[in-house]
Amino acid sequence: MSTGGRGDVRLLRASNALGRFLVVILLTYLGLLAVTFFIGRVIPIDPVLAIVGDRAPEHVIARVREELGLNKPLWEQFYIYVSKVLQGDFGRSVLTSNPVMQDIRRTFPATLELATLGIIIGAGIGVPLGVWAAVRRGRLVDQIIRIVGLVGYSVPIFWLGLMALVVFYARLGWVGGPGRIDVVYEYTLVPVTGLLLLDTARAGEWEAFANALSHLILPASLLGYFALAYISRMTRSFMLNELAQEYVVAARAKGLSESRIIWRHALRNAMVPLVTVIALSYAGLLEGSVLTETVFSWPGLGLYITNSLQNADMNAVLGGTIIVGSIFIGLNLLSDLLYTLLDPRTRTR
Amino acid sequence: MTANATRNGAVPGETLRDWLISDRPRSRRQASVGRAYRAWRGFSSNRLAMLGLVIVVGLVLVAIFANLLSPYSPYIGDLRTTRLLPPSPAHWFGTDDQGRDILSRIIQGSRITLFVVVLVAILAAPIGLAVGTVAGYSGGLIDAALMRITDIFLAFPRLILALAFVAALGPGIENAVLAIAITSWPPYARIARAETLTIRQTDYIAAVQLIGASPWRIVLRHIMPLCVASVIVRVTLDMAGIILTAAGLGFLGLGAQPPMPEWGAMIANGRLYVLDQWWVAAAPGAAIFVVSLAFNLLGDGLRDALDPRAAK
C-alpha cells in the first residue's frame, strides 16, 4: 500500500514536471518565433519596396502590400507567420531560389556530422582530463589542464581554424583542405543519410571514407577543443564535489582501490550533471559551427546562413536561425528535464 | 589613505595595515576600504589574475595613447613598396595587402575592442540589474513574468541571434554592439535576482520599509548597490565572450566596416592571403586571444577574491 502511494506521488511529481516542461518549451519557442518575426517584419527595409522598387505607382504598392498580407493587423500577421513556420514553410531563398526548408535539409547533415564528431572528441577527452585534474587538484597537472581550458575559452575559433589550416594542411599536408571531400569523390556518391562517413561506409567506398575523414578531422577537432574547455572545467568541479562526500571516505575505509573509487563511484554520481553539460555543449557546437564552417568552406547550415546574410537573403537567414534556435532550445530544455529525471535528489525534494 | 586614518581618529601607534585589517572599523569608510583591501590582498596573491589585470590595464593604456604609439598610419599604406611584407624590424608584425603596418592597425584596433566591451557592459548590465532586482523584490506575478522572459532569452543561441539582428539592422560596429547587448543581459538578471532574494530578507530592508521608503527607493538605493559587485564579476567573466562575438561578427563582415582596423575584420582580410602571407591574419588573432585570455584571468581572480564560496 505504502509503496503504491509513493509510486503515485512520484508519478504525480513526474507528470507535474513534464507539464511545466511543456509550458516552458511552448513559451520559449513562441518567444523565438516572435523575435524572428520582429526581426523579419518590423525592423528592416519595407519588403514591398524590396519587391517592386521605389518607383512603382501607388496602386501596385497597395496590391503587393495586400498580397503579402501586410495590411492585416500585426497579431494576425504573426499568426499567419507561426502557422507557416509550423508547416515548415520559411518562404523561398532569393539566393538559391529553392524553398528555404529544402536548402536547410540539404545543408543540415554536414553540420550535424561536424558537431557530432566534435562533441565526441570534446567529451571523450574533456571528461577524463577533468577527472584527472580533480584527482591531482592543485598539482602541476591541474594547472596545465586549467590553462588548456582557459586557452580554449579565449581563442577566437575562426582564427585558430585558419592557423590550423596553414600548419596541418598547407605546410604539413596531414589533413584534407577546405570542403567536405575531394572533388574526385564528390559525384560518385549517392547521398542516403547525408552524413558522408556513414554513406561511404555503407557503400564500402573506404577510399572515399578516408578522404572524408581527413577533411572532417580538423574542423571537428577544433570544435571538440572548444567543447573540451567547458566540459573539462565542469567535470573537475563536479568531481571535486563528489570526492569530498562521505561515501568516498567510506569506500576508502572499505579498502577499495583508488581508481575504482574515482571511476566507478565518484564519476558515476558526477555523470548526472555532466550529461546536461554535454548536451549544452552539443547545442553550443551546433551554433558555434557557423564560424568554423565559414573558415573551412564546410557546406553546412552555418555557411548557408552566413552566405545568405551577405546577400541580404532574409528568408534564408531567419529560416536558418529558427532551425538552429529550435535545436539549441530543445537541447537546452531537454538537459534541464534530464537533470530532474536522472538525479534522485531533485525527486525527493 | 593615511589622511583618512587620521580623519577617522586613528589610534596612536596603529599602522596603516592595522587600520585596514581592523576587526572593529570605527567608520563606514574604514569598513569599506578595509574590505576592499582584504579583497585586493586575496586578488594580488593570484599571479595569473595579476597577469590578466596587467594586460587589461595595458590594453587601456594602448587605446588611450594609440596615436602616439602607432609607428605608421593605420589607414594609409604604400602600395608600391610595402605591400605584404613579412615581419621585420621596420614592421614588427609585417604589412597587409594595402601596404599598411599591421602593428599600427592592431594598436588602433584596441580602441574598437575597448569601445565594444565598454558599451556592451554599459548597455547590458543595467538592463540585467534592473530586471533582476525588480523581479526579485516584487515577487509574485511580476517576478514570474520577468524571469520567464529572461529564461526565454537565456535559451536563445546568442551568436545566431546576434547575426540575425545585425542582418536586419545592417552591418556596422554600433549595430553589432546593440545585437550583443540585447543577447547578453539575461545572466545578469538571474544573478541580480538571486542576490535580491537574500537581501530582501534582511533586517535593514525591513527597517527601511518601516521608515516608509517607496519600493522604487528601496530597489534603487538599497538593493541595487549591493548587487553591483557580483554583476561586475560576471560582466568581467563575460568580456572575453563579448570580444570573441564581436570579432566573429567582424570576421563575417557584419561588425566594423573597412577600413576600420577591427581585429576580426583584419583576420577576414588576412584570410585571403593566409597560405602564403600568414602574418596578416596571425597578428590580429593573437591580439584577440591575448586580450580575451586576460579578461578571463581577471574575471576568475575577481570571482575568487570577492566571492569566497566560488573559490573552490
Side-chain angles (χ1 to χ4, degrees):
Chain A
M1 183 66 207
S2 68
T3 45
R6 205 184 297 155
D8 281 350
V9 170
R10 190 169 285 180
L11 201 71
L12 198 70
R13 284 226 180 94
S15 69
N16 240 344
L18 201 70
R20 209 173 313 132
F21 173 71
L22 285 177
V23 171
V24 170
I25 211 168
L26 211 72
L27 274 176
T28 313
Y29 277 117
L30 213 61
L32 176 70
L33 289 179
V35 170
T36 50
F37 174 76
F38 177 72
I39 292 173
R41 300 291 161 92
V42 187
I43 302 178
I45 27 162
D46 192 344
V48 177
L49 285 184
I51 292 173
V52 299
D54 54 357
R55 300 256 182 106
E58 203 61 42
H59 68 272
V60 176
I61 292 181
R63 205 190 65 219
V64 173
R65 186 171 291 277
E66 195 159 331
E67 277 171 14
L68 291 175
L70 290 173
N71 54 346
K72 298 201 176 83
L74 211 56
W75 63 266
E76 205 178 329
Q77 288 184 43
F78 182 61
Y79 174 75
I80 295 170
Y81 174 76
V82 170
S83 55
K84 269 191 171 171
V85 165
L86 287 182
Q87 290 161 28
D89 178 7
F90 298 119
R92 216 167 253 282
S93 156
V94 182
L95 197 61
T96 63
S97 71
N98 292 327
V100 170
M101 196 59 194
Q102 192 181 323
D103 283 344
I104 289 175
R105 254 193 222 125
R106 181 171 46 83
T107 52
F108 185 67
T111 300
L112 188 68
E113 193 169 33
L114 187 61
T116 307
L117 192 62
I119 197 70
I120 291 173
I121 293 173
I125 301 175
V127 171
L129 277 189
V131 172
W132 198 17
V135 173
R136 302 253 151 195
R137 180 185 180 188
R139 308 269 189 85
L140 187 65
V141 177
D142 186 20
Q143 297 292 341
I144 291 173
I145 292 173
R146 178 161 175 243
I147 300 286
V148 167
L150 266 174
V151 170
Y153 273 118
S154 314
V155 74
I157 192 168
F158 49 98
W159 175 75
L160 197 62
L162 270 180
M163 294 298 121
L165 264 181
V166 171
V167 174
F168 294 108
Y169 168 63
R171 296 284 144 89
L172 297 172
W174 288 357
V175 297
R180 287 182 85 186
I181 195 162
D182 283 356
V183 188
V184 190
Y185 304 104
E186 196 157 342
Y187 298 102
T188 59
L189 209 68
V190 187
V192 184
T193 57
L195 305 173
L196 280 184
L197 289 185
L198 285 186
D199 282 355
T200 49
R202 259 169 79 115
E205 305 246 9
W206 295 110
E207 218 173 293
F209 178 84
N211 187 273
L213 189 63
S214 79
H215 281 267
L216 180 60
I217 194 72
L218 196 58
S221 306
L222 281 172
L223 281 180
Y225 179 41
F226 205 53
L228 179 154
Y230 182 53
I231 292 176
S232 67
R233 186 181 205 167
M234 297 312 282
T235 309
R236 178 181 180 273
S237 91
F238 294 148
M239 280 300 284
L240 283 181
N241 206 8
E242 292 302 328
L243 289 174
Q245 303 286 326
E246 280 175 4
Y247 72 82
V248 172
V249 180
R252 283 210 183 102
K254 218 166 77 175
L256 290 184
S257 71
E258 197 64 15
S259 70
R260 197 181 164 86
I261 294 171
I262 290 164
W263 297 103
R264 291 290 296 275
H265 292 259
L267 183 62
R268 243 173 106 181
N269 283 316
M271 226 41 219
V272 175
L274 256 186
V275 167
T276 72
V277 164
I278 292 171
L280 282 180
S281 312
Y282 192 39
L285 287 196
L286 281 173
E287 187 202 21
S289 64
V290 171
L291 289 166
T292 316
E293 284 179 9
T294 311
V295 172
F296 287 91
S297 307
W298 193 261
L301 193 53
L303 191 65
Y304 177 68
I305 292 176
T306 49
N307 273 342
S308 313
L309 268 174
Q310 259 134 32
N311 294 284
D313 189 352
M314 274 322 271
N315 278 347
V317 172
L318 291 179
T321 306
I322 290 174
I323 293 294
V324 176
S326 304
I327 298 170
F328 191 90
I329 291 171
L331 282 171
N332 227 320
L333 299 177
L334 198 68
S335 68
D336 274 359
L337 187 72
L338 271 181
Y339 188 83
T340 41
L341 288 183
L342 286 180
D343 192 342
R345 276 165 299 184
T346 55
R347 254 181 267 148
T348 49
R349 223 172 264 158
Chain B
M1 264 187 276
T2 348
N4 279 345
T6 42
R7 194 185 307 145
N8 289 314
V11 183
E14 187 188 41
T15 63
L16 176 62
R17 192 171 166 278
D18 290 337
W19 181 79
L20 281 169
I21 60 172
S22 162
D23 282 338
R24 277 186 226 121
R26 284 174 298 277
S27 68
R28 268 198 210 184
R29 185 80 155 274
Q30 186 182 358
S32 65
V33 173
R35 202 171 52 222
Y37 174 73
R38 256 171 260 164
W40 168 252
R41 286 273 307 252
F43 179 82
S44 58
S45 66
N46 182 344
R47 262 177 295 166
L48 284 175
M50 283 304 283
L51 178 70
L53 181 66
V54 167
I55 296 175
V56 170
V57 170
L59 174 78
V60 174
L61 289 179
V62 166
I64 293 173
F65 299 110
N67 288 338
L68 294 174
L69 287 171
S70 33
Y72 301 90
S73 158
Y75 295 108
I76 301 160
D78 188 346
L79 279 173
R80 217 155 30 89
T81 55
T82 61
R83 194 168 175 273
L84 292 170
L85 292 178
S88 66
H91 301 278
W92 286 5
F93 294 161
T95 59
D96 68 3
D97 58 316
Q98 311 266 332
R100 298 171 294 201
D101 179 49
I102 293 176
L103 176 64
S104 304
R105 282 177 70 71
I106 288 180
I107 290 174
Q108 285 286 335
S110 64
R111 290 188 166 175
I112 300 173
T113 302
L114 215 57
F115 169 82
V116 168
V117 163
V118 169
L119 217 58
V120 169
I122 289 176
L123 285 173
I127 299 177
L129 204 56
V131 170
T133 47
V134 168
Y137 187 71
S138 347
L141 205 62
I142 298 176
D143 182 29
L146 284 178
M147 278 304 111
R148 188 55 49 230
I149 295 172
T150 308
D151 282 350
I152 288 173
F153 268 87
L154 209 57
F156 279 167
R158 282 173 59 176
L159 180 66
I160 295 267
L161 214 62
L163 281 180
F165 269 118
V166 178
L169 296 169
I173 189 85
E174 296 85 2
N175 289 342
V177 166
L178 205 61
I180 298 173
I182 288 172
T183 51
S184 56
W185 62 267
Y188 312 142
R190 276 257 179 112
I191 291 169
R193 176 173 175 269
E195 293 268 309
T196 308
L197 286 181
T198 51
I199 295 169
R200 200 173 63 162
Q201 312 287 335
T202 53
D203 290 342
Y204 83 89
I205 292 294
V208 183
Q209 279 169 341
L210 280 178
I211 292 172
S214 70
W216 284 113
R217 191 184 167 84
I218 295 174
V219 167
L220 276 174
R221 300 289 301 274
H222 297 277
I223 292 182
M224 259 192 208
L226 288 177
C227 300
V228 167
S230 39
V231 169
I232 285 179
V233 171
R234 179 64 202 240
V235 168
T236 318
L237 278 170
D238 279 357
M239 291 277 183
I242 294 168
I243 291 173
L244 291 180
T245 311
L249 289 174
F251 177 72
L252 294 173
L254 296 168
Q257 296 299 300
M260 274 175 97
E262 198 271 325
W263 294 346
M266 285 170 72
I267 298 177
N269 181 37
R271 190 184 166 205
L272 307 170
Y273 314 98
V274 75
L275 291 186
D276 297 313
Q277 286 91 18
W278 52 269
W279 57 86
V280 183
I288 298 172
F289 169 58
V290 169
V291 170
S292 57
L293 184 66
F295 273 113
N296 270 331
L297 293 174
L298 180 66
D300 272 0
L302 275 182
R303 188 191 49 197
D304 292 351
L306 294 179
D307 183 7
R309 276 165 301 173
K312 265 200 288 188

